[in-house]
Amino acid sequence: MKKLLAATGLASMVAVLWWTDLLSTLAEPAAIEQTVAAAGMWGPLLYIALAVGLFAVFLLAPPVWASAALWPWPIAFAYSYVASVLASVLTYELVRLFARDWARARVPAKIQSWEQRLEARPVLTVLALRLMLWANPMVDMLAAVSTIPRRSYLIATLAGLLLPTALHVALGAGGIAAAATAPWWLWIIVGA
């Protein structure tokens, strides 16, 4: 029953995004700002719901960039962090519930040897993937299909999403202008 309910909810969300053209409209930071501002006190919840929905189609960045225009930086970071964690954990749980057994049965032997190496240090593996790829649904899918323990995934996700989310919020809060005037040595530090 839980699987049927979750599948129906997911299918409904995809159908609404597809048929209403809401996805292309909300991929623009200005459209997100207008929608959230019009929602009044429901704005933060609407923002988080929009970000979670866009995460499923690899578009979490536009609402996170727009968040700095909606709220002061600490609040924008808090909402964006909650949205990225919620979207990641929701994706992880849905894949684990619906596709884990199916995918595990189809993993080639050569990939399984790499998977065993990755699973030897699960927290470090997920943390590194988070720092490199931020809130990428593929990271959650990989972790859900693997034998990485749920606790390790959660710890690494909570820690690994902090810095990249802060950087994305800062990017939306004028980071592009700041980057254009940054000294050369700062780029070396950022690259390292």
Side-chain angles (χ1 to χ4, degrees), residues 32 47 51 59-69 76 80-81 83-84 134 164-170 172-173:
I32 295 168
Y47 167 78
L59 287 174
L60 180 64
V64 171
W65 296 335
S67 69
S80 297
Y81 180 70
S84 63
W134 183 40
T165 302
L167 291 173
H168 278 272
V169 172

Side-chain angles (χ1 to χ4, degrees), residues 131-132 167 183-192:
L131 292 174
M132 289 187 295
L167 291 173
W184 64 270
W185 53 266
L186 181 61
W187 287 108
I188 294 173
I189 293 171
V190 169

Side-chain angles (χ1 to χ4, degrees), residues 12-89:
S12 298
M13 184 177 77
V14 169
V16 166
L17 289 174
W18 181 267
W19 285 313
T20 63
D21 200 32
L22 187 62
L23 187 62
S24 62
T25 302
L26 294 176
E28 297 295 323
I32 295 168
E33 182 178 355
Q34 291 172 347
T35 305
V36 171
M41 65 181 238
W42 293 98
L45 292 176
L46 177 60
Y47 167 78
I48 291 170
L50 290 173
V52 169
L54 291 172
F55 172 84
V57 291
F58 297 83
L59 287 174
L60 180 64
V64 171
W65 296 335
S67 69
L70 300 170
W71 300 287
W73 195 92
I75 294 171
F77 167 74
Y79 293 154
S80 297
Y81 180 70
V82 167
S84 63
V85 168
L86 184 62
S88 292
V89 171

Side-chain angles (χ1 to χ4, degrees), residues 83-185:
S84 63
V85 168
L86 184 62
S88 292
V89 171
L90 183 63
T91 301
Y92 172 86
E93 291 297 336
L94 286 172
V95 169
R96 199 157 246 225
L97 181 67
F98 291 113
R100 184 174 190 216
D101 296 334
W102 177 85
R104 296 258 345 129
R106 289 161 179 76
V107 175
K110 189 171 185 174
I111 302 279
Q112 287 177 359
S113 66
W114 282 97
E115 184 181 26
Q116 290 168 356
R117 292 179 196 165
L118 293 174
E119 291 168 351
R121 293 184 179 89
V123 173
L124 187 58
T125 299
V126 175
L127 184 63
L129 288 171
R130 287 288 178 214
L131 292 174
M132 289 187 295
L133 301 173
W134 183 40
N136 185 324
M138 296 306 289
V139 172
D140 305 304
M141 292 177 198
L142 172 69
V145 168
S146 73
T147 59
I148 291 175
R150 181 176 276 116
R151 181 174 180 233
S152 299
Y153 164 79
L154 286 172
I155 290 168
T157 293
L158 290 171
L161 288 175
L162 280 170
L163 180 61
T165 302
L167 291 173
H168 278 272
V169 172
L171 181 66
I176 294 173
T181 60
W184 64 270
W185 53 266

